[in-house]
Amino acid sequence: MNEKEFLQAYDITKYDRPSVTADMAVFSIQDKYIDDITEKPDIRKLPDKKLNILLIKRAGHPFQGKYALPGGFCKKGESVYETARRELHEETGVNYGYLNLFDVFSDTGRDPRGWIISNGFLALIDSEKYRVHAGSDAWEANWFEIDYTCKYENESKIHEIVFKKREQEDSGEREQLFLRGIEQIIYLEQGKKIEWKVEQSEFAFDHGEIILKALLKLKERVEYYGDLVFELLPEYFTLTELQKTYEAILGRKLLVANFRRKIAEMVSETDKMVEGAGHRPAQLFQARKQGVRPQRSN
Amino acid sequence: MNEKEFLQAYDITKYDRPSVTADMAVFSIQDKYIDDITEKPDIRKLPDKKLNILLIKRAGHPFQGKYALPGGFCKKGESVYETARRELHEETGVNYGYLNLFDVFSDTGRDPRGWIISNGFLALIDSEKYRVHAGSDAWEANWFEIDYTCKYENESKIHEIVFKKREQEDSGEREQLFLRGIEQIIYLEQGKKIEWKVEQSEFAFDHGEIILKALLKLKERVEYYGDLVFELLPEYFTLTELQKTYEAILGRKLLVANFRRKIAEMVSETDKMVEGAGHRPAQLFQARKQGVRPQRSN
DNA sequence: TCAAAAGTGTTAGAGTTACACCCATGT
DNA sequence: ACATGGGTGTAACTCTAACACTTTTGA
């Protein structure tokens, strides 16, 4: 039997196969939402920035009414990356920008419909380019502002996230979701492993876990690839906007002088200026295009 | 229709589904193989270490006789991680140690048998624990010594790997495989993307590409998580062995004094010593067990 | 005796952190 | 005038690369 005959006789449908999806954690940076109406809107102060994630409220079964990540099933003839790109375009109107796999979720029982493996993607978009999904009424998409904290308790790491919905229609309380993850290193007889427990009752499927892993991966990648944040900003930006974007993701304040020295070689100045702010106008910058660089030697 | 009724009516088999595999890049560290028989084996000199990868020669179709990564199909009722763990055990006899997903390969046409998605895993084992697979005659497993080089040519990064087979039975030439990958950043109208071209005629499927990505991921992770190399070493090791392991992966020499200061807090000394070497005996160390640590603050 | 590995100390320079300071603009 | 962001200089401190040097063992 030669290879051609083998392939003709090969029947892939004889074996059990899973369904495969691409689910996307779509992040954007937006000005901090002002809760307190009584707060005076100081024209001089620049707003801080906040990390946001796009979540959909499920209209159909299963997990009707629960929040989930946008995503969908892989079709024959496309790679999982192409599935993610297609779904991102369908659901946000954006068909470019950073989109990258970060993990695969395949625990048995993670989807009540059956054997379904989810490919988790990290997507970064400039929120100004985002177009609200208009077509299907299968679901409703919303941006949620992220507050992330992390603390250490006897050898464990506890991650907590509060999601606050933006653009509340009625003037009532803002809708909020909570998520908590506990990370622990377990030493086995041979080697070690990291154990996760995620409390995520307000999310569909295991999407709470996927969201937490996505957020941690985002932080890790931003620290490693400094130029990733440009994907969250428009083409032209001020250095302060860039800094506030970093601060929103890393969760801590940075010193202006040091920050500027550090990112100096990653941006190029333009002759454009911001006008009409209540203070000295800032110069606009662009991400600097550069080729593949040698690895930092240590 | 409630959720229960929905799930009862739901027929997952109505949709096209792919087959899913877990393929593993199994790395180990071994003493450098001595090609030249005439070379005098200096009892006093410690051998350098080399990174090795486990490859199998395919006995059946498709790609009969070509080299491939060990791996297999996911079965219903197991996660892709469990598949990888099971396959690793079946093919190496090792059922612990570092095993982690690094990427997913799903390009259309990557497998002539049909729609097959491969989950690429990185596995690190102590080669002394490795047991040659005895059972099935479906394939033949071999360690290949890795020589990796990387150069820059007009805005592209060119990766080249030579694989040299260990334990050649006859006394002829050592069997060798070659692999070359070209990485380039393409600037699109909106954003940018990284383009890969991989020349890998000697490997089955797209396994050449998977091997290259695995090797680069290994280097990245070793630089990021300094304690990963312990997975490649036995429980007790000398600091020189540890250093030579780093050097084999990073591809450059390190200075002894600086290296020891750097890794000092990651190891704990034991009262064991190495005996019988042709020089001053070295103290044996262990990986230090420690909890989840705070992120380095910058 | 001596080659080779084991192991430690010291110095110069690079990089980082923190803070002080001046500039430009709109209210 | 002054609050606010824009923007720069510099000292103190930490980290790292490089090299010199001593110690210990087996051949």
Side-chain angles (χ1 to χ4, degrees):
Chain A
M1 195 181 200
N2 66 23
E3 179 152 345
K4 195 177 167 193
E5 288 163 352
F6 169 85
L7 290 171
Q8 277 173 348
Y10 190 86
D11 180 12
I12 206 166
T13 65
K14 282 192 301 193
Y15 309 99
D16 277 334
R17 283 159 299 150
S19 297
V20 172
T21 69
D23 292 307
M24 294 156 304
V26 185
F27 291 104
S28 72
I29 289 289
Q30 298 181 43
D31 288 346
K32 186 176 177 179
Y33 188 92
I34 308 299
D35 287 271
D36 193 353
I37 311 293
T38 63
E39 205 174 303
K40 63 175 196 296
D42 189 340
I43 181 77
R44 288 186 143 163
K45 262 192 139 59
L46 285 180
D48 273 348
K49 298 207 175 269
K50 280 281 193 177
L51 188 63
N52 286 256
I53 188 169
L54 190 68
L55 296 177
I56 62 166
K57 195 170 200 167
R58 289 183 59 81
H61 294 300
F63 295 105
Q64 192 169 47
K66 297 261 181 185
Y67 282 97
L69 293 171
F73 286 95
C74 296
K75 294 177 182 170
K76 197 164 183 169
E78 67 184 8
S79 65
V80 291
Y81 179 81
E82 287 162 352
T83 304
R85 191 56 87 190
R86 171 173 58 74
E87 294 282 347
L88 183 64
H89 184 225
E90 285 173 13
E91 299 179 18
T92 68
V94 172
N95 56 6
Y96 50 86
Y98 185 83
L99 179 65
N100 235 300
L101 185 83
F102 69 91
D103 208 349
V104 171
F105 300 87
S106 61
D107 284 354
T108 54
R110 59 173 294 279
D111 191 313
R113 291 169 294 185
W115 187 16
I116 299 180
I117 295 173
S118 169
N119 291 83
F121 279 82
L122 203 57
L124 305 182
I125 69 172
D126 167 10
S127 65
E128 302 198 1
K129 299 287 194 312
Y130 170 75
R131 243 187 23 230
V132 176
H133 171 87
S136 144
D137 57 352
W139 38 263
E140 171 202 334
N142 280 98
W143 288 109
F144 285 76
E145 216 172 84
I146 289 179
D147 280 303
Y148 167 80
T149 54
C150 170
K151 62 188 176 194
Y152 296 86
E153 245 171 49
N154 42 323
E155 300 289 293
S156 323
K157 198 167 175 178
I158 300 174
H159 308 269
E160 287 181 328
I161 313 180
V162 182
F163 302 82
K164 291 184 193 157
K165 190 174 173 182
R166 296 183 73 96
E167 299 159 25
Q168 196 74 352
E169 296 81 2
D170 52 37
S171 56
E173 282 278 295
R174 287 171 73 192
E175 194 171 349
Q176 291 198 357
L177 303 169
F178 295 93
L179 179 55
R180 173 206 286 260
I182 298 162
E183 186 183 357
Q184 209 172 355
I185 295 183
I186 307 289
Y187 284 94
L188 310 166
E189 233 173 299
Q190 301 271 14
K192 61 180 183 180
K193 66 167 187 179
I194 293 176
E195 195 183 71
W196 279 93
K197 282 183 208 132
V198 180
E199 298 160 20
Q200 57 119 49
S201 56
E202 302 177 273
F203 295 91
F205 310 103
D206 54 355
H207 284 200
E209 185 185 345
I210 300 179
I211 291 165
L212 175 54
K213 298 270 178 77
L215 180 63
L216 297 177
K217 201 64 159 188
L218 172 64
K219 290 185 69 167
E220 190 182 308
R221 288 195 185 163
V222 164
E223 289 195 30
Y224 197 77
Y225 308 102
D227 55 352
L228 200 57
V229 290
F230 296 130
E231 307 282 346
L232 292 159
L233 291 166
E235 187 175 358
Y236 299 98
F237 49 82
T238 69
L239 295 183
T240 301
E241 284 176 330
L242 181 61
Q243 182 171 347
K244 284 182 184 294
T245 300
Y246 268 100
E247 289 172 342
I249 296 170
L250 301 183
R252 61 195 155 93
K253 290 285 172 188
L254 303 171
L255 290 172
V256 184
N258 302 335
F259 176 77
R260 294 189 177 213
R261 270 188 289 267
K262 195 163 188 168
I263 52 87
E265 52 195 13
M266 286 173 12
V267 296
S268 38
E269 57 179 6
T270 68
D271 50 7
K272 296 186 175 57
M273 302 289 275
V274 173
E275 290 161 28
H279 45 74
R280 173 172 168 180
Q283 196 173 3
L284 286 169
F285 287 76
Q286 275 184 300
R288 188 164 147 203
K289 289 184 168 63
Q290 46 194 346
V292 192
R293 280 160 305 166
Q295 212 80 356
R296 50 176 179 184
S297 73
N298 202 8
Chain B
M1 195 182 202
N2 66 23
E3 178 153 345
K4 196 178 166 193
E5 289 163 352
F6 168 85
L7 289 171
Q8 277 172 348
Y10 190 87
D11 180 12
I12 206 166
T13 66
K14 282 192 301 192
Y15 308 99
D16 276 335
R17 283 159 299 149
S19 297
V20 172
T21 69
D23 291 308
M24 294 156 304
V26 185
F27 291 104
S28 72
I29 290 288
Q30 297 181 44
D31 287 347
K32 187 174 177 179
Y33 188 91
I34 309 298
D35 286 271
D36 193 353
I37 310 296
T38 63
E39 205 173 306
K40 62 173 196 295
D42 189 341
I43 183 77
R44 289 183 143 168
K45 259 190 142 58
L46 284 181
D48 274 348
K49 297 206 175 271
K50 279 281 191 177
L51 188 63
N52 286 255
I53 188 168
L54 190 68
L55 297 177
I56 62 168
K57 194 169 200 166
R58 289 183 58 83
H61 293 300
F63 295 104
Q64 192 169 46
K66 296 261 181 186
Y67 282 98
L69 293 171
F73 286 95
C74 296
K75 295 177 181 170
K76 199 164 182 172
E78 67 183 8
S79 65
V80 292
Y81 178 81
E82 287 162 351
T83 304
R85 190 56 87 187
R86 172 175 56 75
E87 295 282 347
L88 183 64
H89 184 225
E90 285 173 13
E91 300 180 16
T92 68
V94 172
N95 56 5
Y96 51 85
Y98 185 83
L99 180 64
N100 235 300
L101 186 83
F102 70 90
D103 208 349
V104 171
F105 300 86
S106 61
D107 284 354
T108 55
R110 61 172 293 281
D111 192 313
R113 290 169 296 184
W115 187 15
I116 299 179
I117 295 173
S118 169
N119 291 82
F121 279 81
L122 204 56
L124 305 182
I125 69 172
D126 167 11
S127 66
E128 303 201 359
K129 300 289 195 312
Y130 170 75
R131 246 193 14 236
V132 177
H133 172 86
S136 146
D137 57 352
W139 38 261
E140 171 201 335
N142 279 99
W143 288 110
F144 284 76
E145 217 173 83
I146 290 178
D147 280 303
Y148 167 80
T149 53
C150 170
K151 61 187 176 195
Y152 296 87
E153 245 172 49
N154 42 320
E155 301 288 292
S156 319
K157 199 168 175 177
I158 300 174
H159 309 267
E160 287 180 330
I161 313 179
V162 181
F163 302 81
K164 290 185 194 155
K165 190 172 173 182
R166 296 182 72 94
E167 298 160 26
Q168 197 75 351
E169 297 81 1
D170 51 37
S171 56
E173 283 278 293
R174 287 173 71 193
E175 194 172 349
Q176 292 199 355
L177 303 168
F178 296 94
L179 179 55
R180 172 206 285 261
I182 299 163
E183 185 183 357
Q184 209 171 357
I185 295 183
I186 308 288
Y187 284 96
L188 309 166
E189 234 172 300
Q190 300 272 11
K192 61 181 181 179
K193 67 166 186 179
I194 293 176
E195 194 183 74
W196 279 94
K197 282 184 208 131
V198 180
E199 298 159 19
Q200 55 120 50
S201 56
E202 303 179 271
F203 294 92
F205 310 104
D206 54 355
H207 284 199
E209 185 184 347
I210 301 180
I211 290 165
L212 176 54
K213 298 269 177 79
L215 180 64
L216 297 176
K217 201 64 160 190
L218 172 64
K219 289 185 70 166
E220 190 183 308
R221 288 196 185 162
V222 164
E223 289 195 30
Y224 197 79
Y225 308 102
D227 56 352
L228 200 57
V229 289
F230 296 131
E231 306 283 346
L232 291 160
L233 292 166
E235 187 176 359
Y236 299 98
F237 49 82
T238 69
L239 295 183
T240 302
E241 284 175 330
L242 180 61
Q243 181 172 346
K244 284 184 184 294
T245 301
Y246 268 100
E247 289 173 342
I249 296 170
L250 301 183
R252 61 195 156 92
K253 291 285 172 189
L254 303 171
L255 291 172
V256 184
N258 301 336
F259 176 77
R260 293 187 176 214
R261 269 188 290 269
K262 195 164 189 170
I263 52 86
E265 50 194 15
M266 286 173 11
V267 296
S268 38
E269 57 179 7
T270 68
D271 51 7
K272 295 185 174 63
M273 302 289 274
V274 174
E275 291 161 28
H279 45 74
R280 175 171 169 180
Q283 196 173 4
L284 286 168
F285 287 76
Q286 274 184 299
R288 188 163 147 204
K289 290 185 167 61
Q290 46 195 345
V292 192
R293 280 161 304 165
Q295 212 80 358
R296 50 173 181 188
S297 71
N298 204 7

